[in-house]
Amino acid sequence: SKGGYADQTVVNADNNFPTTVNTKDGQRWEFVGWDETTKKIDGADVTFVGKWKYVGYHFSFIKLDDHEKGLKDVEFSLYAWKGIGIPSNKELVTTESITAGKWQQLETQVSQADGRVDLFVSAAAGTYFQLVETKTPNSYLKPSGQWRFTLAETGLIKDNQLIGIAGDDGRLPPEFKELTTGEYAGYLSLKNETRQPT
């Protein structure tokens, strides 16, 4: 694209650019390489074709308190299924199932002051993912259930849905819902329940 090269000149592919790129919708791509590193101009323009690999994307959601405000300091851990076959709806992430090699922890993030949680979902990590709320402020209930999702062919969460998996007590976790107003309209949100006084 620089121009000014004479005919029969050998030109090199440009490597002066970021090799990892995050797109506006949160997808992450890594540069694999050019089809050729050098080409000779022979009476016409030359084109270098770059190859990129889809790595994954940032899945962000908003954690809310019971007043629909962002809830800070809620910890979430993301796991990928490494067990045999398809995990059943009773397959929770527990110390035992992790030790048995059924679930692999990918990362842990804490909600920010506005309640936002950013998790990187790797396309190569696994077919089934499970989200676990691991720490909750004292005045709120920590769900016993967990959330499961898979990736569509686009590499994004299939149908933009996280399915609730009941905990050992039979209770489903709170449902993810899409925000329709405010700064984070279009984001999924997750509301916490206040702990009842005893």
Side-chain angles (χ1 to χ4, degrees), residues 103-125:
W103 294 103
Q104 177 188 358
Q105 184 174 353
L106 301 178
E107 70 167 324
T108 297
Q109 295 292 338
V110 177
S111 60
Q112 303 167 33
D114 58 359
R116 179 168 170 161
V117 180
D118 296 312
L119 293 163
F120 183 73
V121 182
S122 171

Side-chain angles (χ1 to χ4, degrees), residues 130-195:
Q130 201 124 312
L131 181 65
V132 183
E133 187 171 322
T134 45
K135 289 183 183 177
T136 308
N138 289 335
S139 57
Y140 290 90
L141 289 171
K142 184 172 78 170
S144 61
Q146 301 169 3
W147 300 269
R148 185 174 301 163
F149 62 91
T150 59
L151 300 182
E153 291 181 1
T154 59
L156 304 179
I157 292 179
K158 188 174 182 180
D159 300 324
N160 201 30
Q161 286 189 337
L162 288 87
I163 307 301
I165 304 297
D168 288 332
D169 58 2
R171 296 188 63 188
L172 288 169
E175 184 182 352
F176 274 86
K177 296 182 179 178
E178 187 173 325
L179 292 171
T180 57
T181 60
E183 177 185 359
Y184 292 114
Y187 279 67
L188 291 177
S189 67
L190 185 63
K191 190 174 179 179
N192 255 53
E193 298 176 12
T194 304
R195 185 182 303 276

Side-chain angles (χ1 to χ4, degrees), residues 4 14 19 22 50 56 62 68 73 76 80 94 97 122 134 149 152 156 161 177 189 195 197:
D14 185 6
T19 55
N22 292 321
I62 310 300
E68 306 291 332
D73 295 332
F76 291 89
T94 63
S97 64
S122 171
T134 45
F149 62 91
L156 304 179
Q161 286 189 337
K177 296 182 179 178
S189 67
R195 185 182 303 276

